[in-house]
Amino acid sequence: MNESLVLHWIDRGSAHIVQTDGHFATLQSTRQAAVGTPLVARVRLESAERIRFKVKDCRREPNGFLLVGRWVDLSKTTREELLAITAA
């Protein structure tokens, strides 16, 4: 899990990126979300203050929820920045 980037959901909770390829991602989240739910998160990136994520699957885990889905409308710069952070 990547502790260096925290996604703070706009409505409540937070998440960390478990893995991403720049288009799809698996997130460890403190909140659940139904399939198809679009989530918006505040982030501290040089290229973006908010990013959007659409949920494809949500599973309960002992420490919260595992969200699987895709990034929505990421710029190339933001995508590259996410990949660089998660590769570290």
Side-chain angles (χ1 to χ4, degrees):
M1 179 169 21
N2 187 325
E3 298 290 341
S4 63
L5 179 65
V6 178
L7 286 71
H8 297 281
W9 301 123
I10 296 297
D11 51 356
R12 65 179 158 70
S14 62
H16 292 91
I17 299 170
V18 175
Q19 71 179 46
T20 186
D21 66 0
H23 297 281
F24 298 95
T26 301
L27 309 176
Q28 181 67 46
S29 180
T30 60
R31 63 158 293 172
Q32 64 183 351
V35 172
T37 301
L39 298 174
V40 180
R42 282 178 271 116
V43 292
R44 290 186 180 205
L45 296 171
E46 289 182 25
S47 59
E49 293 179 3
R50 291 184 180 199
I51 55 176
R52 299 184 330 147
F53 182 79
K54 188 157 186 183
V55 179
K56 180 180 175 185
D57 188 29
C58 177
R59 289 180 234 141
R60 182 181 299 274
E61 295 210 324
N63 297 331
F65 299 89
L66 195 65
L67 303 180
V68 178
R70 65 180 174 85
W71 302 114
V72 180
D73 299 332
L74 283 186
S75 69
K76 182 179 178 182
T77 306
T78 302
R79 188 176 318 279
E80 290 171 352
E81 192 174 352
L82 277 176
L83 288 171
I85 290 170
T86 56

